[in-house]
Amino acid sequence: GAGVSQSPSNKVTEKGKDVELRCDPISGHTALYWYRQRLGQGLEFLIYFQGNSAPDKSGLPSDRFSAERTGESVSTLTIQRTQQEDSAVYLCASSLNSYEQYFGPGTRLTVT
Amino acid sequence: AQSVTQLGSHVSVSEGALVLLRCNYSSSVPPYLFWYVQYPNQGLQLLLKYTTGATLVKGINGFEAEFKKSETSFHLTKPSAHMSDAAEYFCAVSETGQAGTALIFGKGTTLSVSS
């Protein structure tokens, strides 16, 4: 079946611009996670959605970062006024039962 | 707080040689432990996981890992490396294994396999 998909695969933007990253989870997966992977680093948790519950935003690094999810489907991660330190690969994962998370291919964001 | 340490950011082996990727964790409760593999320009793929029960777990592609509570370790091994194993490997821990618990990842180990 279809896995987690993300778009765009690559995004180059100028410092100060806003960007939107999209994630399509596996159908039926109630949980959705966003992670950030900086060069040479492990993955950092950003935000978690579970059904219609309030999201866990504890990992968002600043108020320039926000995310939305429509029901149990698509999620959008928005970064406002991008900075060079925002350059990273942004990974989305979805999960059905809890701990087993399925990852998308990621969006590589480059802020120039 | 939980943390994961992967010893060695880069490991090189010859084809056919033993692969050993080291992972140590810290957790205040019995953890759930994972190994993920990431091939270039792809997302992470789950190799194997430890939740409860048998401490030696087998995963895909001939990999296995052993949970050693006394050593707080979860090292990944494969008896004979193949060229296709070249990738980046991440160890991760979850404290509860419940929905909504973010995984805590190590910084990754890049495995190179030479012929």
Side-chain angles (χ1 to χ4, degrees), chain A residues 7-8 11 19-23 34 75-79 90 107:
Chain A
S7 61
K11 176 71 176 179
V19 295
E20 284 190 354
L21 312 180
R22 177 188 168 107
C23 171
W34 282 98
S75 176
T76 302
L77 177 69
T78 301
I79 309 173
Y90 291 82
T107 293

Side-chain angles (χ1 to χ4, degrees), chain A residues 99-111:
Chain A
Y99 46 78
E100 193 156 344
Q101 298 180 19
Y102 294 82
F103 285 80
T107 293
R108 183 175 299 278
L109 175 66
T110 303
V111 182

Side-chain angles (χ1 to χ4, degrees), chain B residues 15-96:
Chain B
E15 193 171 21
L18 171 71
V19 175
L20 171 61
L21 304 182
R22 300 178 186 273
C23 173
N24 288 88
Y25 68 91
S26 67
S27 176
S28 58
V29 297
Y32 291 73
L33 296 159
F34 310 84
W35 276 99
Y36 282 84
V37 60
Q38 186 178 32
Y39 298 102
N41 300 315
Q42 295 187 26
L44 276 69
Q45 179 182 6
L46 182 65
L47 266 181
L48 50 78
K49 62 182 182 288
Y50 168 78
T51 55
T52 59
T55 56
L56 180 64
V57 294
K58 296 184 184 299
I60 62 173
N61 301 337
F63 284 92
E64 61 183 37
E66 186 171 10
F67 168 56
K68 292 188 176 180
K69 183 179 179 181
S70 61
E71 298 177 8
T72 61
S73 69
F74 191 57
H75 301 332
L76 181 71
T77 61
K78 181 173 180 178
S80 177
H82 192 272
M83 297 293 286
S84 61
D85 295 326
E88 190 157 20
Y89 293 79
F90 292 93
C91 181
V93 62
S94 170
E95 219 168 44
T96 69

